[in-house]
């Protein structure tokens, strides 16, 4: 648990709100990879948000030259009907 509070400018006789306990949820974190890393998945450039599907080494972003990519998850595989 972490405490979250609000700091209020102090004045005579005033007391700010009391801190409250808030559970921190870290399940929404994002994984990052840098250009030159061997990967397979969907990625977005951290600089310009350009999207790419990569099954090899991550390149630098072709749009802005950025070297940091945000992982959007593994590749989705599907079967083509016969």
């Amino acid at each position: 648990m972490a405490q979250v509070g609000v700091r209020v400018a102090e004045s005579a006789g005033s007391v700010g709100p009391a801190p409250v306990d808030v559970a921190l949820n870290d399940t929404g974190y994002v994984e990052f990879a840098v250009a030159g890393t061997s990967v397979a998945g969907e990625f977005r450039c951290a600089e310009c948000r350009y999207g790419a599907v990569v099954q090899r080494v991550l390149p630098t972003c072709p749009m802005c030259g950025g070297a940091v990519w945000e992982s959007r998850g593994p590749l989705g595989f599907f079967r083509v009907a016969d």
Side-chain angles (χ1 to χ4, degrees):
M1 289 282 198
Q3 283 200 344
V4 177
V6 177
R7 173 160 268 171
V8 179
E10 295 180 28
S11 63
S14 83
V15 176
V20 294
D21 285 330
V22 176
L24 298 178
N25 179 354
D26 65 352
T27 59
Y29 75 94
V30 176
E31 287 187 36
F32 290 93
V34 295
T37 304
S38 231
V39 296
E42 296 181 43
F43 296 85
R44 285 217 181 270
C45 175
E47 296 290 322
C48 72
R49 312 302 296 155
Y50 177 80
V53 175
V54 180
Q55 292 184 341
R56 55 183 171 78
V57 175
L58 270 172
T60 55
C61 177
M63 296 301 286
C64 73
V68 178
W69 294 86
E70 178 182 316
S71 175
R72 305 289 290 172
L75 290 175
F77 293 99
F78 59 91
R79 183 180 167 164
V80 176
D82 294 323

